[in-house]
């Protein structure tokens, strides 16, 4: 792998937050619903080691599936 060579990774994540929990997620109380969403990570390597990571999460898809945004 070349120095300063960025690589990207697409991840499909899934999960749920069962009740009870002590905190809200983005102002929403726990719903018990499962969500599935995409994440993209760009990773820059220097000398074969991770130097930086940037990530983007599809929060819009999360909020739709949790009922905060109409579909």
């Amino acid at each position: 792998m070349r120095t300063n060579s960025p690589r990207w990774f697409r991840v499909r994540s899934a999960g749920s937050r069962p009740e009870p929990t002590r905190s809200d997620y983005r102002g929403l109380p726990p719903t018990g619903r499962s969500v599935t969403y995409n994440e993209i990570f760009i990773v820059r390597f220097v000398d074969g080691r991770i130097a930086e990571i940037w990530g983007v999460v599809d929060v819009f898809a999360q909020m739709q599936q949790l009922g905060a945004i109409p579909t």
Side-chain angles (χ1 to χ4, degrees):
M1 188 173 305
R2 295 177 301 150
T3 299
N4 295 325
S5 175
R7 298 285 188 254
W8 66 272
F9 304 90
R10 180 174 179 230
V11 179
R12 185 90 169 147
S13 298
S16 65
R17 282 185 53 198
E19 297 182 49
T21 185
R22 291 182 285 177
S23 63
D24 294 344
Y25 176 70
R26 298 190 178 268
L28 296 174
T31 63
R33 295 180 183 176
S34 295
V35 295
T36 303
Y37 55 93
N38 292 314
E39 299 175 284
I40 295 176
F41 295 98
I42 300 169
V43 181
R44 186 174 67 86
F45 294 89
V46 174
D47 297 328
R49 298 181 67 163
I50 295 173
E52 294 180 82
I53 300 175
W54 300 276
V56 178
V57 177
D58 189 354
V59 176
F60 187 80
Q62 290 176 344
M63 299 305 273
Q64 277 189 319
Q65 292 173 53
L66 292 172
I69 297 173
T71 55

